[in-house]
Amino acid sequence: SFSRAFNLDTSFMLPLMYNCWNYWMTSQYNQVDSLVRFLSQRRASLGRLELFVLDELNGRLSGNLAQGLSAMRQAGKLAPRSFYAFEWGYWALANNRPRECLEASKGLDARNQWEFYWIILAESYHLLGEHEKELEPAREGRRRFPTSSSPYYSELYALAAMERMNELRELI
């Protein structure tokens, strides 16, 4: 676990940052806030990538979308084939920057992505009005994650936007 990794080496801050994301996903915001304060007190000892992550976490906590995007843009450019590039895409989309989301996602290996990768690609194309392109990640997401409803909805949105009612009815 991330806490165990930190306990083995208390100079290794990245596991605590990952814990923040886990707490965020489970709505444990007080835990996130406590860890971010703890990490902020150690800002001088953090590496460049860790600083970007800390800035993203502060943006997340304060609701500052521009700060989150700025931090993850820098992290994603520093590590373009990493989770940080995905986060850059996520934050770009959250800031209504679908083209930037697609740019951030270019370097990622699609074979190893989770379902939200496919969803943010589909949503980006949807916002750009490129609904034929939107269908591709939506359908790939459905193929890879057949029990998830999110890629299914992405495909529904694309078909509805193109007014392809017969295909829409078949899918429903």
Side-chain angles (χ1 to χ4, degrees):
S1 80
F2 297 127
S3 296
R4 186 168 179 262
F6 173 74
N7 288 336
L8 291 172
D9 180 356
T10 58
S11 68
F12 188 33
M13 298 293 155
L14 200 55
L16 296 181
M17 294 174 172
Y18 288 150
N19 259 351
C20 287
W21 285 325
N22 287 339
Y23 287 136
W24 185 269
M25 297 299 273
T26 57
S27 302
Q28 296 179 59
Y29 306 118
N30 288 338
Q31 292 285 2
V32 178
D33 185 60
S34 294
L35 279 176
V36 167
R37 277 192 257 145
F38 177 83
L39 291 163
S40 294
Q41 292 170 354
R42 288 148 184 83
R43 189 173 185 89
S45 67
L46 299 178
R48 191 169 164 205
L49 192 56
E50 292 168 323
L51 289 169
F52 295 144
V53 173
L54 181 58
D55 290 344
E56 183 269 347
L57 290 167
N58 275 308
R60 188 179 290 263
L61 275 174
S62 66
N64 187 333
L65 298 179
Q67 180 180 354
L69 173 58
S70 176
M72 284 299 102
R73 180 186 293 128
Q74 293 174 82
K77 287 182 178 182
L78 188 64
R81 298 190 185 278
S82 72
F83 173 74
Y84 304 110
F86 171 83
E87 282 289 301
W88 171 18
Y90 164 83
W91 280 99
L93 193 57
N95 278 271
N96 197 27
R97 299 179 61 93
R99 285 199 197 287
E100 186 174 352
C101 175
L102 296 171
E103 177 191 338
S105 304
K106 277 192 304 196
L108 296 172
D109 182 354
R111 296 171 299 174
N112 299 319
Q113 296 303 315
W114 57 333
E115 71 179 283
F116 295 109
Y117 167 81
W118 304 101
I119 294 163
I120 68 169
L121 291 181
E123 190 171 336
S124 292
Y125 286 122
H126 187 84
L127 291 172
L128 293 169
E130 298 178 24
H131 303 300
E132 282 295 337
K133 286 184 179 178
E134 176 185 1
L135 269 178
E136 295 168 22
R139 287 180 171 160
E140 185 61 21
R142 277 191 64 218
R143 187 184 73 73
R144 290 173 183 263
F145 302 96
T147 60
S148 174
S149 61
S150 296
Y152 170 79
Y153 289 123
S154 293
E155 186 171 353
L156 289 176
Y157 299 147
L159 292 170
M162 293 184 290
E163 299 180 5
R164 289 165 57 175
M165 296 307 162
N166 289 338
E167 290 175 75
L168 192 59
R169 282 187 202 95
E170 286 175 23
L171 196 56
I172 295 174

